[in-house]
Amino acid sequence: MARNYRVLLDIEAIEVLPKSGRRRQSVLSFVKGLSQFAHLGGDFEVSDPETRRLFQVTTVAGFAITWWADDPVSEVKVVDIRPTN
């Protein structure tokens, strides 16, 4: 069953986004929406070799957004955003 998550964003992650425009808005809308649909997962997963934590990666408007759902505390943590090209 879907649940609402609190979304936490590493402020340094958004520094790569344009200062304004449709691409920035698309990425920020996706991040906000994670509170409702994080349970669906990302486009693909990557594993951190040190911690073995699985991260979800979703591509939006030319950016790869790396995040993970911390289910015990009902939080989604967005840890990285970088251009896909």
Side-chain angles (χ1 to χ4, degrees), residues 7-10 13 31 34 65-67 76-81:
V7 178
L8 305 174
L9 172 67
D10 183 336
V31 168
L34 280 171
I65 304 162
T66 305
W67 57 277
V76 173
K77 297 173 180 172
V78 178
V79 295
D80 190 45
I81 300 172

Side-chain angles (χ1 to χ4, degrees), residues 9-51:
L9 172 67
D10 183 336
I11 197 71
E12 291 179 10
I14 63 171
E15 290 180 0
V16 300
L17 295 177
K19 299 297 180 203
S20 63
R22 186 175 22 189
R23 292 177 69 209
R24 178 185 180 88
Q25 189 57 41
S26 294
V27 170
L28 295 179
S29 291
F30 170 80
V31 168
K32 290 176 188 174
L34 280 171
S35 68
Q36 300 293 315
F37 57 80
H39 66 283
L40 298 175
D43 295 334
F44 60 94
E45 294 179 334
V46 294
S47 177
D48 182 316
E50 292 180 24
T51 66

Side-chain angles (χ1 to χ4, degrees), residues 60-75:
V60 175
F63 292 93
I65 304 162
T66 305
W67 57 277
W68 63 283
D70 191 349
D71 291 317
V73 293
S74 297
E75 293 177 343

